[in-house]
Every structure is written in C-alpha cells, then in structure tokens.
Amino acid sequence: MGASTPESVIKFAHRARAAVLSRVNPATGLLQQVGDIRDERLMRAESAEGQAFVVLMEAAARDWEMGQGDTAVDMH
C-alpha cells in the first residue's frame, strides 16, 4: 500500500489485521479458531495455512510501515 492508496483501504487493512491478531494466542503465538481448508463451514483450533497467513500479513505490515517513513501509522 503506497502513497496513492486511498485512506479508506488503509483503514480497512488496519481493522482486518487487528481482527486477525485478536485470534492469536499470546502464549503460543498461534492463530486459533480458523476455518477448515477442506470445509469452510467448519472451524479448527489451529492450521498451518492460517499461521502462514499471519506470518505473511505481518511481513507485509512491517514492509508497509518501513516504507512510510515519518508518516507511519501505528498499527499496533
């Protein structure tokens, strides 16, 4: 998300990230209560795919923050 990204998209991304992070167990660092990859109507306690998503999301957030310089928004 660069400088030309509409502010509404950035705000949505912050809210979505916060929602995902609210499901991360602070003791283990694992995303919990995730959709089952075989049947989206079911939930699982944890999944490797969900955890991979969190890792990629956090890397993207870090990269976005680094690219913002002095205009970085606190995403935590």
Side-chain angles (χ1 to χ4, degrees):
M1 294 184 182
S4 64
T5 304
E7 188 66 27
S8 62
V9 174
I10 295 169
K11 287 180 180 179
F12 174 81
H14 289 302
R15 288 192 311 271
R17 180 173 176 243
V20 171
L21 292 177
S22 74
R23 298 291 187 169
V24 173
N25 180 330
T28 64
L30 296 176
L31 180 66
Q32 297 186 314
Q33 299 175 333
V34 297
D36 189 295
I37 62 169
R38 294 183 191 103
D39 187 344
E40 66 276 359
R41 297 169 295 176
L42 301 176
M43 298 295 288
R44 295 175 54 185
E46 299 169 349
S47 79
E49 296 82 8
Q51 196 61 31
F53 174 81
V54 172
V55 170
L56 291 172
M57 178 186 69
E58 287 300 288
R62 179 206 57 214
D63 292 350
W64 185 83
E65 286 177 343
M66 289 176 61
Q68 295 303 301
D70 292 337
T71 62
V73 175
D74 184 13
M75 295 176 39
H76 302 284

